[in-house]
């Protein structure tokens, strides 16, 4: 059974936000916190407030009190200023090298995206593998059926290439959602037509038209079409193919800058031109999808919205292939801070207070760490050198801050004052975890409490960062096939590094092995290999101390590739892609945490293997949620 | 004596670049590779070629063969399309939390910036501390006096607040350069005037005018003025103060978006308005300085250039306070790829082939690691999932690539085919290092060769990444006060972690201590503390395996703060800022590399302490370069 976790936000722990907010009259009077327990979804509500950015004393913002998320109709938005947020972390983001997610991780992230209240979740590419298919289906059945009291439920979208088999598979996966969408694409630039597709322009139009019509014929009323590499496509041809797919029934037209080459003025012009010249465009939604190869994806996305796009495709932390995509947090906060002043009143429905937690979860699960100076969510984004704190910051927050950290769910470090120690009890631990947004079940809390006490015995102060590291280590772990029981190590400059490890298998049977190596980690991993006998290559290894001080808890991340091939299909090229698996481990002994991370990655790989073979026995249309 | 290193590029190892380049007729026929040996500068030249980006088959680029860097005149550029690159990695970038650089590191980076051929190097804020002053002065005396055969030499700039003492100090530091510049600033937004300066608008104009005139009166013919927080300043007031400082003799006006709040259209409009409304603006250069708080700094910078700015202020990797600054590599590559098509023919003088090496050096010295999906220089920026490689990439590179990795000095991994092994000799090692851009002196090569053999004994293949890690560990180290000789460790889940370390002091005397701890690193650091007796707090700890495989070489980075206060002055607020010190260590045993990193950081801190106390004995105007 997969472990489960409820994430909530204890609003009483949030400091009050000064000025400019339009709390009382907001129609958004509650938030809905979701949790998934194997298909069942529990809801809890809490009072909610909305805040605006404090840009400058001299220019107060207009009230947003009359703004609310318009009812969802696939091809139309009743409020002309509303921007739909289409999150593709689970599809485009997961294509990042090494970012492979398990089904459980995908479901956790999808639940968190629903907490953020994104309009559309692109949950995956169902034709890529059985595993991808099941992940999308499970998300459609659960997160895609959790309607809150304001009627919000995310659209669940599946990607497909322009062929019948892909589209059928996508529909089989998403059709269980309240609001299912199929997203199909084909390349339209000369360079792709010539070198990749080897098809004529007319042939490509014919395929696009037929496949959009086919998706509609299956009963899908929400069909998105993307002309791949639109940024480099011939303009007249683009108008023509887009006009044809509108006639065939497409409801959203997504314009990708596939190679990330356009500048904002150029991309904005492209959207404006499409809006002005495509027959029937007034009956559909225009969408942006900007790659970040020149570091311009956020600007291009905003420029597209300013020119008439009303859906923007983004990922958490901006992850994705190469330099990634436009990041949700940058686009959303730019619209929130500047939508009224500069973008003609544009707004989104995102509950920004879940940004930090979502960012951390995606960082943890994908292993794609954000740089300290990443905008909005980087470790330094709200850190000022002490001098400024003492001066400008204290004199007036607005001198150097354009938004408050609380808006994105970040507590100011000097306000996170509660520190637990070895005398703290189970209740204090539970309360603090709740305040941090974690609700654990009793079994999880028991395991965590035991580890918390062990840490508190050795460290004077157990900080929030320590707790979060422990929760990640205890709760965000794959199913255990192998479990580390004990280990001992001798190393240094003087002799041969030697390690002994004791692992338990899934039946609880104990296995012991020892090995020498070039260092303590090499020795320990070799000893693990002697027991597990599942050959793997270590691709990446990294470690961070999450807390200050020499006695810190360190978190290790590893990325491995199985020497026996584990693969799925690449959405864009259709070719087989080798999967890689990450693992994390936390602890005060870096060698022990390194071994935990490795065992975790091996468990993830073995789970993928077992899951894939199980699936072969289940018909793809079976209406059953795998545990 | 500081160790020295010559960086060069062996052009014979670069693969030839197809199409579109205008090699033969380029007036840039050589590059100049600088190295610094305690004041002396050696030059070597090599044949050079310039390449353009391959954007698309269908749109060949115009030839750049007639473009050359215009002669430097402070307030005028003869070519209306030339954009000056002002690098402030050493000033604004170094203000990033934890990015403190030693004088030697600053000099290394300045030399590398000259390899890139940046137009202006902002070398520091001389009034911040004696250490900052000496670093700027040394860079002015050396890098600022190395003129190449085309007449290129970077301007060396020092920052100062708007007061006589700061400006005098800045001049004392930069005046030794061939092209010295003083950059002075004062806040002009209402919010800063009211809460930070507590001065009237007229008072601020008076100060700015007088201080620019004062800088000119010292003999400085190149004076830059910045109205801090220009993005939020009242427009009419901005025109007025800028007009006044032009009259007083300013030659460059820099427009900062201090809090990173503007959108590209807005920032472009700000520059256009200033250009249209400021009296005398035609006689000076307009500059941009964009913070990245909303992820828009690159777009804002380009928008500013498109609107008439002809200097752009940037940092390597985009480092800086909070979310950092516009990054040099993104701005430069966007101009290179799209300057002709979208920006009316704008171009820079940057030799982009040094981008990767500069990026790595700044990452190494500042400890600010770039995220894998960082545009241009991230680890994944040119990595494609294998599927695409097999299909689009091989069919035609241009389908997914807008620039070639070789353009920024990155070798394709499948072309970096030479792998050394334990039978490789000293000559093979030296050759490969040269190809990677490293030229070591004989002593350095000897030390490195010894370590290379030790690694090769244990690993089958010693890759380029291994070599670079070893070079960093051997050459990019602070002066050794303490040196790790030997250590041994016992740890694991079963007992008390115990470590014994043996260090040598600067006189070669050996000291041994042992300690227990919560883990092996804690135990070892406590043993080091028992010997060194210089109390420090560990702020950050991270580790990466730089090469694939379990027997990889891991590089550890630590950041410490001395419990005895080491501080300098913050440029913006004038308050004291605590300095922090980073250290790195590489090796196959992660506990050993962790201890090396810690000893390195302690050495850096002790060096800072000793250096600061030495300086107190030297008059600030003494024309002497400290070793």
């Amino acid at each position: 059974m997969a472990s489960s976790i409820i994430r909530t936000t204890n609003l009483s722990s949030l400091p009050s936000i000064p000025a400019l907010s339009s709390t009382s009259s907001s129609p958004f009077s509650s938030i809905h916190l979701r949790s998934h327990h194997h298909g069942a979804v529990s809801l809890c509500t809490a009072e909610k407030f909305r805040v605006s950015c404090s840009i400058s004393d001299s220019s107060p913002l207009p009230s947003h009190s009359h703004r609310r998320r318009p009812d969802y109709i696939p091809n139309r938005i009743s409020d002309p200023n509303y921007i739909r947020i289409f999150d593709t972390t689970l599809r485009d983001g997961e294509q990042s090298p090494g970012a492979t997610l398990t089904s459980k991780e995908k479901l956790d992230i999808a639940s968190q995206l629903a907490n953020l209240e994104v309009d559309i979740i692109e949950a995956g590419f169902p034709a890529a593998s059985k595993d991808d298919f099941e992940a999308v289906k499970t998300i459609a059945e659960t997160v895609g059926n959790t309607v809150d009291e304001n009627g919000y439920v995310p659209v669940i979208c599946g990607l497909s290439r322009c062929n019948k088999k892909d589209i059928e598979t996508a529909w089989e996966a998403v059709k269980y959602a309240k609001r299912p969408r199929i997203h199909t694409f084909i390349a339209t630039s000369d360079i792709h037509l010539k070198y990749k597709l080897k098809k004529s322009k007319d042939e490509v139009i014919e395929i696009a038209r037929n496949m959009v019509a086919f998706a509609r014929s299956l009963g899908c009323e929400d069909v998105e079409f993307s002309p791949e590499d639109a940024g480099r496509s011939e303009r007249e041809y683009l108008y023509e193919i887009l006009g044809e797919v509108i006639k065939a029934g497409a409801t959203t037209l997504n314009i990708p800058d596939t190679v990330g080459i356009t500048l904002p003025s150029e991309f904005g012009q492209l959207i404006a031109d499409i809006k002005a010249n495509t027959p029937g465009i007034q009956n559909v939604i225009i969408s942006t999808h900007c790659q970040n190869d020149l570091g311009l994806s956020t600007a291009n996305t905003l420029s597209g919205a300013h020119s008439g796009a009303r859906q923007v495709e983004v990922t958490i932390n901006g992850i994705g292939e190469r330099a990634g995509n436009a990041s949700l947090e940058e686009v959303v906060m730019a619209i929130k801070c500047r939508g009224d002043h500069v973008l003609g009143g544009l707004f989104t429905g995102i509950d920004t207070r879940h940004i930090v937690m979502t960012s951390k979860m995606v960082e943890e699960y994908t292993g794609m760490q954000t740089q300290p100076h990443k905008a909005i969510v980087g470790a330094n984004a709200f850190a000022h050198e002490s001098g400024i704190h003492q001066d400008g910051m204290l004199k007036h927050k607005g001198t150097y801050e354009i938004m408050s950290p609380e808006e994105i769910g970040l507590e100011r470090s000097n306000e996170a004052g509660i520190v637990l120690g070895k005398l703290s009890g189970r209740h204090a631990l539970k309360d603090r975890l709740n305040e941090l947004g974690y609700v654990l079940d009793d079994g999880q809390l028991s395991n965590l409490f035991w580890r918390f006490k062990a840490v508190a015995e050795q460290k004077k102060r157990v900080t929030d960062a320590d707790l979060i590291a422990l929760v990640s280590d205890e709760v965000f772990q794959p199913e255990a096939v192998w479990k580390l029981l004990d280990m001992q190590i001798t190393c240094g400059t003087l002799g041969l590094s030697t390690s002994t490890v004791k692992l338990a298998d899934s039946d609880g049977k104990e296995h012991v092995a020892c090995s020498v190596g070039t260092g303590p980690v090499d020795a320990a991993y070799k000893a693990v290999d002697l027991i597990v006998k599942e050959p793997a290559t270590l691709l990446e290894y990294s470690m961070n101390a999450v807390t200050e001080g020499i006695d810190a808890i360190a978190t290790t991340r590893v990325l491995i590739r199985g020497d026996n091939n584990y693969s799925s299909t690449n959405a864009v090229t259709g070719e087989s892609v080798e999967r890689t698996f990450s693992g994390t481990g936390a602890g005060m002994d870096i060698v022990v945490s390194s071994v935990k991370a490795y065992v975790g990655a091996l468990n993830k790989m073995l789970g993928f293997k077992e899951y894939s073979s199980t699936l072969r026995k289940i018909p793809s249309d079976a209406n059953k949620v795998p545990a």
Side-chain angles (χ1 to χ4, degrees), chain A residues 14 21 28 36 79 114 127 162 269-270 275 325 340 376 430 443 450 484 497 509 518 529 542 547 568 590 625:
Chain A
L14 285 173
S21 68
F28 298 88
H36 173 250
D79 188 324
C162 259
Q269 192 60 50
L270 173 62
K275 197 178 170 189
N325 293 278
D340 278 308
I376 315 291
K430 191 176 178 179
W450 186 87
L484 175 67
S497 295
K509 195 179 158 206
T518 57
D529 286 345
S542 67
T547 56
S568 65
I590 61 170
V625 188

Side-chain angles (χ1 to χ4, degrees), chain A residues 44-260:
Chain A
C44 56
T45 60
E47 204 193 338
K48 173 185 188 177
F49 51 70
R50 302 227 150 201
V51 293
S52 302
C53 299
S54 51
I55 290 166
S56 151
D57 265 6
S58 57
S59 57
L61 286 172
S63 164
H64 289 200
S65 57
H66 298 297
R67 289 180 167 187
R68 49 168 294 157
R69 184 194 306 276
D71 292 337
Y72 187 77
I73 304 162
N75 68 330
R76 202 160 56 78
I77 304 174
S78 60
D79 188 324
N81 285 328
Y82 185 78
I83 302 284
R84 286 182 182 160
I85 301 295
F86 177 113
D87 183 278
T88 183
T89 305
L90 296 175
R91 205 276 304 163
D92 201 336
E94 208 229 357
Q95 280 186 21
S96 314
T100 305
L101 299 167
T102 63
S103 296
K104 177 186 166 292
E105 289 169 342
K106 286 180 184 171
L107 186 57
D108 283 352
I109 291 173
S111 298
Q112 189 62 25
L113 292 171
N115 288 342
L116 268 177
E117 300 189 31
V118 305
D119 299 272
I120 299 105
I121 296 172
E122 186 162 59
F125 171 39
S129 71
K130 285 286 181 190
D131 192 67
D132 286 72
F133 174 84
E134 288 297 330
V136 176
K137 183 158 166 276
T138 306
I139 290 168
E141 289 171 320
T142 55
V143 179
N145 276 284
T146 308
V147 185
D148 81 9
E149 63 187 25
N150 292 316
Y152 165 76
V153 57
V155 174
I156 306 299
C157 177
L159 183 74
S160 69
R161 288 163 296 192
C162 259
N163 67 59
K164 282 195 177 182
K165 191 168 163 295
D166 267 30
I167 292 169
E168 278 170 338
T169 309
W171 179 240
E172 283 305 313
V174 299
K175 70 181 181 187
Y176 303 98
K178 286 264 184 226
R179 293 175 180 157
R181 179 187 288 192
I182 293 172
H183 176 195
T184 190
F185 71 96
I186 195 163
T188 54
S189 66
D190 288 351
I191 192 168
H192 275 85
L193 289 179
K194 185 170 168 190
Y195 293 102
K196 196 181 124 188
L197 294 177
K198 299 188 197 311
K199 289 199 189 305
S200 74
K201 289 183 171 174
D202 287 342
E203 286 173 305
V204 168
I205 288 182
E206 186 66 17
I207 294 168
R209 190 168 44 202
N210 289 344
M211 289 305 105
V212 168
F214 177 69
R216 290 299 300 255
S217 77
L218 296 174
C220 184
E221 292 172 359
D222 195 352
V223 176
E224 173 170 331
F225 174 79
S226 293
E228 195 195 348
D229 208 14
R232 295 192 295 186
S233 299
E234 196 212 317
R235 211 51 74 88
E236 293 297 328
Y237 179 60
L238 207 50
Y239 307 148
E240 189 186 350
I241 193 167
L242 294 177
E244 291 298 320
V245 297
I246 293 171
K247 279 194 259 173
T251 47
T252 297
L253 298 182
N254 177 51
I255 310 303
D257 180 19
T258 304
V259 292

Side-chain angles (χ1 to χ4, degrees), chain A residues 9 14 17 31 48-53 69 85 112-113 115-118 316 328-337 348-359 376-377 403-410:
Chain A
T9 303
L14 285 173
I17 308 285
I31 48 172
K48 173 185 188 177
F49 51 70
R50 302 227 150 201
V51 293
S52 302
C53 299
R69 184 194 306 276
I85 301 295
Q112 189 62 25
L113 292 171
N115 288 342
L116 268 177
E117 300 189 31
V118 305
I316 301 294
L328 182 143
E329 61 278 11
E330 293 176 9
V331 170
V332 165
M333 292 312 293
I335 291 174
K336 189 170 182 185
C337 288
T348 75
I350 296 298
D351 184 349
T352 59
R353 294 169 311 146
H354 291 277
I355 284 176
V356 167
M357 196 56 101
T358 315
S359 167
I376 315 291
V377 295
M403 63 188 85
S404 70
E406 292 83 1
E407 274 185 275
I408 58 165
L410 191 70

